[in-house]
Amino acid sequence: MNLTSIIPPDAREFRRSRYLGDPIDLVEWNGNWFEKVPDAAIIAAPGVRSTTVKELVGGRIRKTSRYGVWVEIDRDVAHSDEDLLRWCRRHCNSELPSGTIRLSPKTWEEHSGDPLPMPFVPEFDHPSRTVRELAEAERHRRHAELRLRTARLKRDRLLREVSQEGHSRRELADVLGISFARVQQLVKGR
């Protein structure tokens, strides 16, 4: 499950949310994406990866034929994110006075798949509604698995403590609704 109890100090944190619904707090560390969960733990974030320039810009480019053939990214789009603007300025052939960015079609083809340091979260960003629902279901399953693991560890710890207080294995079996043999295994840490 890739569970880490602390968030590394050099990790970058992001918050994503839909119009209605709980936000997801993400952490990018060493090229891997994790989700923050309560108690400062992080778990692997399924399907989350860095967004590409093409995904961020989407269909908001236009091809023009003025003094050659160009791919143009409107000023509002290019300036919508600092990392995108940095990418545009690094790869553009020119930035017009209006702020529109012009790139050669070859440059666009070669570099539009470049990753930007922001998350592509399938639950929010995938074009297929069914895939978005699947990603959300998987995230909820991972949360439930983590809660179950945490509850089991707490129960096992408390069972050992209560056993040391002198309560009989049979009494504990009745309280928990499990067999005497299972209580014995849990107390011994198996």
Side-chain angles (χ1 to χ4, degrees):
M1 178 185 281
N2 285 351
L3 178 64
T4 305
S5 60
I6 59 167
I7 297 172
D10 57 335
R12 293 180 311 144
E13 298 185 33
F14 297 85
R15 175 168 270 206
R16 290 290 309 272
S17 61
R18 333 186 159 114
Y19 177 66
L20 296 173
D22 295 330
I24 297 176
D25 293 315
L26 296 164
V27 176
E28 189 271 332
W29 183 53
N30 289 341
N32 297 305
W33 290 92
F34 302 92
E35 181 181 356
K36 282 174 59 174
V37 292
D39 302 325
I42 56 175
I43 58 174
V48 176
R49 58 177 171 72
S50 294
T51 300
T52 65
V53 172
K54 192 173 198 172
E55 289 168 334
L56 186 61
V57 171
R60 300 179 293 175
I61 61 165
R62 61 182 175 268
K63 296 188 177 180
T64 61
S65 298
R66 294 185 198 123
Y67 309 107
V69 178
W70 303 101
V71 172
E72 290 186 344
I73 301 174
D74 189 62
R75 179 194 191 288
D76 292 339
V77 174
H79 288 254
S80 66
D81 180 79
E82 284 183 37
D83 294 310
L84 176 61
L85 182 59
R86 219 177 347 270
W87 179 91
C88 287
R89 288 181 172 157
R90 183 172 51 245
H91 294 290
C92 76
N93 292 75
S94 61
E95 185 171 354
L96 303 178
S98 66
T100 297
I101 303 291
R102 276 194 178 163
L103 306 129
S104 71
K106 182 180 177 187
T107 301
W108 175 253
E109 277 303 311
E110 289 175 0
H111 296 286
S112 62
D114 291 354
L116 293 172
M118 64 180 57
F120 175 89
V121 182
E123 185 176 333
F124 302 136
D125 302 325
H126 199 280
S128 166
R129 179 190 56 78
T130 311
V131 171
R132 288 192 305 270
E133 288 178 8
L134 175 63
E136 180 181 20
E138 176 62 14
R139 185 172 64 81
H140 289 299
R141 185 197 66 78
R142 287 177 184 235
H143 281 241
E145 192 174 276
L146 177 64
R147 285 191 305 275
L148 182 61
R149 178 175 178 246
T150 303
R152 184 175 28 83
L153 291 171
K154 181 178 180 180
R155 182 220 41 201
D156 293 353
R157 178 183 54 78
L158 290 170
L159 186 58
R160 283 189 291 281
E161 286 178 21
V162 107
S163 175
Q164 290 172 355
E165 290 176 0
H167 296 277
S168 75
R169 306 284 199 266
R170 294 225 184 271
E171 177 187 4
L172 298 175
D174 289 340
V175 168
L176 296 176
I178 59 177
S179 72
F180 166 80
R182 184 66 183 135
V183 170
Q184 185 69 21
Q185 289 174 334
L186 294 172
V187 167
K188 290 188 175 185
R190 294 184 191 158

